[in-house]
Amino acid sequence: MLSDFFKLNGDPENLKKYNSQEEFYIQLKHSKDFRNGMYFPDSLGEENAIITKKVEDTLFMGVHFYKCEFFNCKLVQSNFHKCSFDYCLADPRQFESIHNKNQWNKSNIAVHLFDQLVKNAEETYRKDHVRIANYHYYKWNTRLLKQKFKEKKPYSITAKKYYLSYYPSLGFKLLFGYGYRLRNFLYTFSAIFLSTYGMNYWLWDSYDF
């Protein structure tokens, strides 16, 4: 059995302790701001549950997730500010909806989150989770360029660096899925193959052999 779900920074003697999932969800219904607490149940969500449990519009401040198992749960529109993960069973797809694509002003938070999920997946030898987390890491890293250029946060970059980095990165995402999504490669390959075949078909009689 796992010893705890996550710990927050601070003196353990002064932290609020949650001994069941019910206590945790009651707290979130009241404040949507979870910090300075310790969660002791072995998991979040139920392994064989039919309905997916959602955690929405919640701030997790400086949370350390340690030896945690996420079952049938989804984190939606939530802020994982400076959180870390160690030896957790956490599918990165459960975190895909923390921000929508128009919230590029929160890209630095998402980049840190998926960077932590990549490291966690490597610790737990989950190659499938490494691939998924890496895709989202690079996706949000591309959006982070926009945040740096337009909002000057967390620091500013020049227009030259933005245009030379953002659009090539966006193109790499659309064409090849950052090298982590096979379907993007197949779409790109199929489009190039069909275009080349069609062009050769229509121009075949004009070729001088």
Side-chain angles (χ1 to χ4, degrees):
M1 299 294 289
L2 303 178
S3 59
D4 50 55
F5 173 57
F6 60 74
K7 299 178 180 179
L8 281 82
N9 298 327
D11 183 359
E13 296 299 324
N14 298 323
L15 300 180
K16 180 175 175 56
K17 297 176 174 61
Y18 297 86
N19 296 306
S20 69
Q21 291 194 44
E22 288 73 20
E23 291 181 26
F24 174 69
Y25 282 111
I26 289 174
Q27 171 68 23
L28 290 182
K29 285 181 180 179
H30 283 87
S31 69
K32 296 293 185 180
D33 189 332
F34 197 87
R35 60 181 96 191
N36 299 323
M38 298 178 69
Y39 184 95
F40 285 98
D42 297 337
S43 62
L44 179 64
E46 298 178 12
E47 186 172 5
N48 298 314
I50 298 176
I51 300 176
T52 299
K53 197 75 173 181
K54 288 186 179 182
V55 177
E56 300 183 78
D57 300 317
T58 303
L59 170 65
F60 294 92
M61 178 68 74
V63 180
H64 179 208
F65 295 81
Y66 181 69
K67 291 186 177 180
C68 159
E69 295 184 77
F70 293 80
F71 291 125
N72 291 307
C73 60
K74 188 172 184 179
L75 294 307
V76 180
Q77 291 294 307
S78 295
N79 189 333
F80 288 80
H81 184 67
K82 295 184 178 179
C83 292
S84 60
F85 297 76
D86 285 303
Y87 302 103
C88 297
L89 180 59
D91 189 334
R93 286 171 292 195
Q94 294 172 305
F95 298 83
E96 288 179 341
S97 301
I98 57 163
H99 305 305
N100 63 52
K101 63 181 181 180
N102 296 320
Q103 293 178 299
W104 48 263
N105 59 327
K106 297 181 179 179
S107 298
N108 58 319
I109 297 173
V111 166
H112 177 79
L113 169 62
F114 285 105
D115 179 57
Q116 291 296 314
L117 290 174
V118 169
K119 295 175 181 177
N120 174 73
E122 291 173 343
E123 288 177 341
T124 54
Y125 304 101
R126 293 298 302 265
K127 292 183 179 180
D128 55 333
H129 289 177
V130 171
R131 175 180 57 80
I132 296 168
N134 261 318
Y135 170 80
H136 289 288
Y137 168 79
Y138 285 109
K139 178 183 70 175
W140 282 102
N141 207 38
T142 299
R143 293 170 182 170
L144 180 58
L145 292 168
K146 182 183 290 188
Q147 182 182 5
K148 291 176 180 177
F149 178 62
K150 294 192 174 183
E151 290 203 340
K152 316 300 181 184
K153 296 179 181 179
Y155 56 87
S156 63
I157 58 175
T158 63
K160 179 180 179 181
K161 183 172 183 178
Y162 170 70
Y163 289 112
L164 290 178
S165 301
Y166 178 77
Y167 289 103
S169 182
L170 184 61
F172 188 43
K173 171 196 171 184
L174 296 175
L175 295 176
F176 303 106
Y178 297 115
Y180 293 103
R181 285 202 165 177
L182 180 60
R183 69 169 179 256
N184 292 70
F185 173 79
L186 292 176
Y187 291 154
T188 301
F189 175 80
S190 299
I192 294 174
F193 175 79
L194 292 174
S195 298
T196 303
Y197 178 84
M199 182 178 66
N200 283 314
Y201 178 82
W202 292 108
L203 298 178
W204 186 260
D205 291 338
S206 65
Y207 292 153
D208 185 15
F209 293 104

